[in-house]
Amino acid sequence: MAISSLFSNYKPALLRLPQGAELTKPELLTEAFRMASEGRIAMYYAPHNEWINRSAQVAIVGITPGWTQMKAAYESAVAGLAAGLPDEEICRRAKRTAGFAGPMRQHLTAMLDKLGLPECLDIRSSAELFGEKALLLHTTSLLKYPVFVQERNYTGANPDMLASPLLWGQALAFLEELRDLPDVLLIPLGRSVERVLCRMAEEGRIHEERILRGFPHPSGANGHRKRQFAAQQDAMQAKLRAFYGR
C-alpha cells in the first residue's frame, strides 16, 4: 500500500477548503487544483486515486473520476485533515468513500454478482468489496485524475483519448500503477476503457489475458447496459473462471 507525493503538494490548498460543508465546483475546479489543460479539457487533482491497494485480487478500471467521485473524495480528505489523520490513511479513506460512488456502485455490484465474482474470491457478495473485504479490490481510473470538458465529466469521446496528447499520456501513466498490481484481473468499465487497454495489450504493454472484455459501463445513463451485459455474460463468466482457476 502506498501513496504518491502529490498529496503533500496539494495539502495546503486542501486545508483552505471549508470543513463540514458540501463542496462545490467553484471551490474545486480552480487553478489551485488544476494539473493540466489542453483545449477544452482540464484535469484536476483528487486524492482518492493516490492510494494503491497492493493486496488486491481484482481491479475495477473506470475512465476518469467524475464530479460525484471527486467531490466525495475531497470532502473525505477535508474531514481526515481536520481529524489529524496520517496522509496515507486520508487517501485510503477517500478511496473507500469515492470509489464508484452513488447509484453506479449498486449497478456494478449487481453485475459482478451475476458473473460469479464473489465465488471466485471466496466472499458472500460483491458489495463486500466496498466494505469488509475492501483489501481484495483496487478501484482506479485509466485517467487517474478527474478530467472535465468545459466542466462536464469526460466520457471517453470528443476528444478521442487516443488522439489527445494529454489524455494518451495520462493513460500511459496508468501502466506505472499496474506495476504494483502485476497479477490482478482488470475489469474495464465500458468500451472506451476496454479499447485503450486492448490497444496497450496489442502493443505488448500489458497481457491481454488480464482484461475482462465486454463489461458495460454501470452508469445509469447507459440505458443499454443490461442488453450489453446479457450479450457478453457467458464469455465473461468463462474468463473469470479461467483467470481464477475455478
Side-chain angles (χ1 to χ4, degrees), residues 165-224:
L166 171 61
L167 299 183
W168 178 237
Q170 288 300 307
L172 290 178
F174 173 71
L175 296 171
E176 298 175 14
E177 185 173 343
L178 290 188
R179 293 192 184 101
D180 289 323
L181 304 163
D183 302 313
V184 172
L185 177 73
L186 305 175
I187 303 181
L189 299 187
R191 293 175 179 172
S192 295
V193 180
E194 180 180 312
R195 173 173 167 250
V196 174
L197 290 182
C198 288
R199 166 69 72 86
M200 292 176 175
E202 290 170 3
E203 295 177 353
R205 300 178 189 270
I206 58 176
H207 294 297
E208 191 278 335
E209 59 266 24
R210 298 181 63 186
I211 304 169
L212 184 69
R213 295 181 183 235
F215 200 92
H217 198 284
S219 169
N222 180 10
H224 302 293

Side-chain angles (χ1 to χ4, degrees), residues 104-124:
M104 181 164 55
R105 186 182 292 183
Q106 297 175 354
H107 301 154
L108 174 61
T109 55
M111 288 190 285
L112 293 175
D113 283 348
K114 287 183 179 180
L115 290 182
L117 181 63
E119 290 80 4
C120 292
L121 299 178
D122 295 320
I123 60 177
R124 293 189 300 271

